[in-house]
Amino acid sequence: GAVVSQHPSWVICKSGTSVKIECRSLDFQATTMFWYRQFPKQSLMLMATSNEGSKATYEQGVEKDKFLINHASLTLSTLTVTSAHPEDSSFYICSAGGGGTSGRSGQYFGPGTRLTVT
Amino acid sequence: QKEVEQDPGPLSVPEGAIVSLNCTYSNSAFQYFMWYRQYSRKGPELLMYTYSSGNKEDGRFTAQVDKSSKYISLFIRDSQPSDSATYLCAMSVGGNEKLTFGTGTRLTIIP
């Protein structure tokens, strides 16, 4: 299957600091990437849709000024959690969509980043 | 009512049994249907991807989509302990659009 990586896999930060999470599609170009968060024993909640070269589309209730998304290339999207607070502690997962000329069908997920804000 | 309904389980079956997982949905615009497997503290892994109605088989896995009933299923044959995970159904209107997930079913295969 397609490979999507995330970095870091685990991060602890202090309240009030910012954290950047990278998502890379390693073996295909993804025009669209998606960012999710997942709380323990719950399903994935879509936060935003990231399109290469344009502004991200945020889901209702997600603060775009707090969760900054940049999709600078066809293989890299970043999520920056600004002024993190303990309630932002969660499992953040990205996915890269195939389609187009990628030769891939479906969405492929990264391994996730566990963020703990103290 | 949620757009996608999935029994959260937990579901426990003995090794070697056939597992049946299913989801129902309400949005008739969904055209693309996926099943993901997620191990604890890992990202979901795409198992099956189908478009519109029909069956698809890949090894021990078979996915079925019945759009007239708004019902999708995943069958796992000859289940193995390594199949123990949470299985998520997901669907979308377009092929590269946001997914709507079920809640996930926790499956345990008992050796």
Side-chain angles (χ1 to χ4, degrees), chain B residues 14-98:
Chain B
E15 183 177 356
I18 296 174
V19 176
S20 173
L21 304 167
N22 53 74
C23 291
T24 59
Y25 62 95
S26 57
N27 186 352
S28 58
F30 287 138
Q31 297 271 26
Y32 297 84
F33 304 90
M34 285 141 272
W35 284 96
Y36 288 88
R37 176 175 62 194
Q38 186 176 25
Y39 294 111
S40 181
R41 297 176 178 262
K42 300 290 185 183
E45 173 192 1
L46 181 62
L47 289 176
M48 301 293 282
Y49 175 89
T50 50
Y51 168 71
S52 195
S53 287
N55 295 354
K56 185 174 184 178
E57 186 175 321
D58 184 359
R60 296 185 296 112
F61 299 94
T62 299
Q64 291 184 350
V65 175
D66 182 350
K67 289 190 68 181
S68 63
S69 300
K70 297 190 182 67
Y71 187 92
I72 69 171
S73 301
L74 177 71
F75 298 95
I76 307 174
R77 292 183 298 281
D78 188 25
S79 55
Q80 305 293 313
S82 58
D83 295 329
S84 298
T86 295
Y87 289 79
L88 297 146
C89 64
M91 44 201 80
S92 64
V93 174
N96 198 22
E97 296 181 2
K98 65 180 184 180

Side-chain angles (χ1 to χ4, degrees), chain A residues 19-22 35 47 67-69 77-81 92:
Chain A
V19 174
K20 179 185 283 189
I21 303 170
E22 292 186 349
W35 287 96
M47 298 175 66
F67 298 99
L68 301 179
I69 291 172
S77 176
T78 60
L79 168 67
T80 301
V81 183
Y92 291 86

